């Protein structure tokens, strides 16, 4: 292989995101375009989830975070909410053993207090079963909202301050960041939203501060491994500066 090609390949590997966070949008429109009821779109969406989990694992991505149900999604028609919950439960039950065999660790983030005890037990048991796996960490956000995440962390820190365990001056960006969901995981490097909308929709608000954003018109059920590779190529071509100048970044890359 020519030296330049080797260099480019090495760079591409270096530029693989460690953590990809996705908003899976467009299930409803996928179904509508085919004159099918919306639930069909969600069921196809689950197939895309399966495909992207496997593709991320094969490519060596460490963490994949999926927005399955936002704290605002309760505003949908009751029948759709209960269908989504049902699909969610059935999917976890059906997939957990396979995910475990493939070395996938499962984590759930979001306010679990809204869920029935049975559903909470299912999430806890999937987490427990897969806790030691390290091939890929699959984080599923359910009843999650970025504002809830930040407010919940702030409340817990405030409670510690009231109890005298920490001082008010100890509440800062560092301690707040460490009190958030998934603070133990690498922050998202790449955010993908399917379905053509270009917004964050209360997803991982704090954690996305320096994340590269990628939007595609593809509807979620059509998002496959090739579409993921396209997003990864876009990511690999970006220079992440984290507040530094482009020259500084180039210098430290060459050092
Ligand atoms: C957005 O499409 C999609 C959702 C709100 C649900 C996504 C959930 C799944 C694919 C199931 C995931 C299950 C697990 C276990 C991870 P939309 O309905 O807003 O589409 P629209 O914008 O076209 O109406």
């Amino acid at each position: 292989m020519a030296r330049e090609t080797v260099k480019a390949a090495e760079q591409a590997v270096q530029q693989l995101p460690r953590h990809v966070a996705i908003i899976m949008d467009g299930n409803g429109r996928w179904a509508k375009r085919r004159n099918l009821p919306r639930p069909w779109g969600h069921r196809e969406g689950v197939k895309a989830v399966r495909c992207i989990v496997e593709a991320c694992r094969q490519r060596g991505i460490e963490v994949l975070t999926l927005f399955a149900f936002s704290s605002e999604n309760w505003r949908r028609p009751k029948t759709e909410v209960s269908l989504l919950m049902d699909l969610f439960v059935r999917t976890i039950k059906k997939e957990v053993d396979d995910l475990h065999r493939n070395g996938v660790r499962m984590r759930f983030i979001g306010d679990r207090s809204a869920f029935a005890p049975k559903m909470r037990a299912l999430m806890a048991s999937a987490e427990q079963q897969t806790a030691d796996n390290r091939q890929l960490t699959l984080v599923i956000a359910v009843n999650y909202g970025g504002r809830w995440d930040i407010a919940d962390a702030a409340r817990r820190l405030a409670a510690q301050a009231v109890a005298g365990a920490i001082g008010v001056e100890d509440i800062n960006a560092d301690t707040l960041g460490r009190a958030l969901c998934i603070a133990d995981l690498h922050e998202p490097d790449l955010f993908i939203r399917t379905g053509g909308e270009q917004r964050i929709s209360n997803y991982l608000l704090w954690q996305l501060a320096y994340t590269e954003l990628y939007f595609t018109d593809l509807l979620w059920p059509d998002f496959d491994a090739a579409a993921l590779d396209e997003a990864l190529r876009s990511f690999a071509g970006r220079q992440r500066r984290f507040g530094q100048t482009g020259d500084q970044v180039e210098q430290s890359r060459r050092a």
Side-chain angles (χ1 to χ4, degrees):
M1 211 188 282
R3 248 182 69 205
E4 283 311 301
T5 320
V6 172
K7 212 170 154 198
E10 278 171 4
Q11 206 173 328
V13 170
Q14 281 167 12
Q15 295 269 18
L16 186 73
R18 290 177 61 186
H19 183 167
V20 176
I22 306 185
I23 294 188
M24 312 175 285
D25 201 8
N27 292 347
R29 277 165 287 162
W30 185 93
K32 203 170 170 191
R33 281 181 197 174
R34 288 162 179 77
N35 286 322
L36 296 166
R38 288 177 63 85
W40 284 62
H42 294 310
R43 278 200 287 268
E44 284 299 309
V46 171
K47 289 186 195 164
V49 168
R50 214 175 284 129
C51 161
I52 295 305
V53 168
E54 185 50 22
C56 285
R57 195 182 68 86
Q58 285 172 356
R59 283 155 184 71
I61 288 162
E62 290 171 32
V63 185
L64 171 66
T65 299
L66 300 175
F67 209 179
F69 193 86
S70 79
S71 34
E72 288 74 33
N73 284 150
W74 297 106
R75 296 182 192 148
R76 294 190 171 210
K78 259 192 172 153
T79 47
E80 180 160 340
V81 169
S82 79
L83 175 123
L84 278 168
M85 290 298 148
D86 191 47
L87 187 63
F88 183 64
V89 167
R90 273 189 292 126
T91 305
I92 300 171
K93 280 186 183 161
K94 188 162 167 250
E95 302 292 337
V96 67
D97 287 340
D98 255 8
L99 290 168
H100 183 44
R101 260 194 301 279
N102 287 324
V104 178
R105 169 168 66 153
M106 291 183 84
R107 291 269 293 269
F108 297 91
I109 57 169
D111 183 359
R112 299 186 195 195
S113 65
F115 297 125
K118 254 190 176 168
M119 174 133 164
R120 279 187 288 200
L122 179 68
M123 293 193 277
S125 134
E127 285 177 331
Q128 213 173 16
Q129 183 181 350
T130 61
D132 295 331
N133 296 335
R134 287 296 178 274
Q135 282 271 316
L136 170 77
T137 297
L138 172 62
V139 181
I140 299 176
V142 266
N143 193 24
Y144 176 86
R147 289 178 178 174
W148 164 83
D149 195 359
I150 296 167
D152 191 57
R155 186 166 34 76
R156 275 185 280 112
L157 289 180
Q160 287 176 31
V162 168
I166 59 168
V168 169
E169 64 284 0
D170 295 325
I171 302 179
N172 52 43
D174 188 38
T175 51
L176 187 59
R178 278 191 273 124
L180 295 168
C181 289
I182 59 169
D184 57 318
L185 302 176
H186 188 75
E187 284 194 344
D189 301 294
L190 173 64
F191 161 94
I192 300 172
R193 181 176 186 140
T194 61
E197 314 286 352
Q198 304 204 350
R199 50 177 175 259
I200 307 283
S201 298
N202 200 16
Y203 191 35
L204 301 169
L205 292 181
W206 182 286
Q207 296 88 339
L208 292 177
Y210 283 99
T211 305
E212 295 297 322
L213 307 181
Y214 179 87
F215 300 96
T216 168
D217 288 337
L218 280 176
L219 303 177
W220 175 247
D222 295 326
F223 192 81
D224 57 11
L228 174 69
D229 286 336
E230 188 67 43
L232 295 178
R233 267 194 296 279
S234 165
F235 176 82
R238 299 187 192 188
Q239 186 191 53
R240 304 185 75 195
R241 292 205 281 271
F242 298 99
Q244 290 187 303
T245 67
D247 288 347
Q248 283 177 303
V249 174
E250 265 309 297
Q251 258 167 25
S252 55
R253 198 181 62 81
R254 274 192 245 113

